[in-house]
């Protein structure tokens, strides 16, 4: 199998996994009650499960789908950040991570999502998060055994502090792209 077809298989698999998880998983009643101390509330992202896919990623030990709310998708379609303009306030992203399994019984033995690992969240609010490049960040870890989420901690990698700036240090690498790593992928 060529490298291009492996990437395509991983992308399709992650996309299908998102749809399957939406249909098969019961809702996690607790997630929308969670909040990072002095930071983001999970409830600010209610409905992220149905947002449009921006891109998929594979970092070696996890698969992820990066989702954007309508304001984020509209900004990408308007050429942001490539046109030098910042994302508008209200733009939101959710990055859902899964641990990886190898589907030995499927053609090509693709890597597929197994258990969910966490959800990373970002919201653009230039007033509320002025000291974080205008973005607020949050990480919520998923526990498959209890089907619940909890705020990330300082022990996580990367560490989640008790505020919405946990991702700011890493995202300063892409300051010229308004602190956003993810490119909106061609359809």
């Amino acid at each position: 199998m060529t490298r291009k077809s492996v990437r395509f298989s991983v992308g399709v698999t992650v996309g299908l996994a998102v749809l399957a998880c939406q249909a098969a998983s019961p809702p996690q009643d607790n997630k929308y009650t969670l909040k990072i101390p002095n930071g983001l509330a999970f409830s600010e992202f209610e409905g992220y499960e149905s947002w449009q896919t921006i891109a998929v990623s594979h970092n070696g030990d996890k698969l992820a789908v990066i989702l954007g709310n309508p304001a984020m998708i509209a900004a990408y379609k308007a050429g942001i950040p490539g046109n030098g303009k910042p994302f508008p306030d209200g733009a939101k992203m959710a990055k859902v991570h899964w641990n990886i399994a190898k589907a030995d019984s499927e053609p090509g033995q693709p890597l597929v999502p197994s258990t969910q690992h966490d959800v990373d969240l970002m919201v653009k609010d230039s007033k509320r998060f002025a000291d974080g490049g205008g973005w607020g960040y949050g990480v919520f870890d998923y526990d498959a055994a209890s089907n619940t989420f909890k705020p990330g901690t300082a022990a996580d990698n990367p560490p989640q502090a008790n505020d919405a700036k946990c991702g700011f240090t890493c995202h300063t690498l892409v300051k010229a792209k308004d602190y956003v790593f993810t490119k909106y992928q061609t359809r």
Side-chain angles (χ1 to χ4, degrees):
M1 195 185 278
T2 68
R3 197 175 177 142
K4 188 174 182 179
S5 41
V6 167
R7 276 192 221 133
F8 178 76
S9 294
V10 168
V12 169
T13 302
V14 170
L16 292 174
V18 169
L19 295 174
C21 287
Q22 289 173 7
S25 295
Q28 294 83 23
D29 294 334
N30 81 314
K31 72 181 173 184
Y32 292 126
T33 65
L34 299 175
K35 182 177 181 184
I36 305 288
N38 303 314
L40 295 179
F42 209 137
S43 61
E44 295 178 64
F45 295 82
E46 191 162 354
Y48 74 92
E49 302 90 344
S50 64
W51 291 352
Q52 186 174 333
T53 299
I54 297 169
V56 295
S57 69
H58 174 235
N59 72 354
D61 64 343
K62 289 182 197 69
L63 294 174
V65 63
I66 301 97
L67 307 168
N69 73 344
M72 190 75 183
I73 299 302
Y76 273 122
K77 288 181 177 181
I80 296 172
N83 62 10
K85 294 181 180 178
F87 287 94
D89 281 358
K92 297 178 184 179
M93 298 174 74
K95 186 174 188 179
V96 183
H97 287 104
W98 289 274
N99 296 306
I100 296 175
K102 188 175 181 185
D104 292 325
S105 63
E106 295 180 23
Q109 301 174 330
L111 298 177
V112 296
S114 64
T115 56
Q116 188 172 351
H117 185 272
D118 64 61
V119 176
D120 299 347
L121 305 172
M122 284 176 65
V123 62
K124 181 71 177 268
D125 187 329
S126 54
K127 291 180 183 140
R128 186 172 161 204
F129 304 114
D131 59 347
W135 289 94
Y137 305 86
V139 174
F140 293 88
D141 296 326
Y142 178 71
D143 178 48
S146 64
N147 193 30
T148 59
F149 288 86
K150 66 182 176 78
T153 68
D156 289 338
N157 187 12
Q160 168 68 61
N162 288 332
D163 58 29
K165 295 181 283 191
C166 65
F168 182 60
T169 303
C170 291
H171 285 254
T172 58
L173 296 170
V174 287
K175 182 178 180 180
K177 297 179 183 177
D178 195 22
Y179 301 95
V180 174
F181 283 104
T182 307
K183 179 182 174 192
Y184 187 71
Q185 297 300 315
T186 305
R187 305 296 193 264

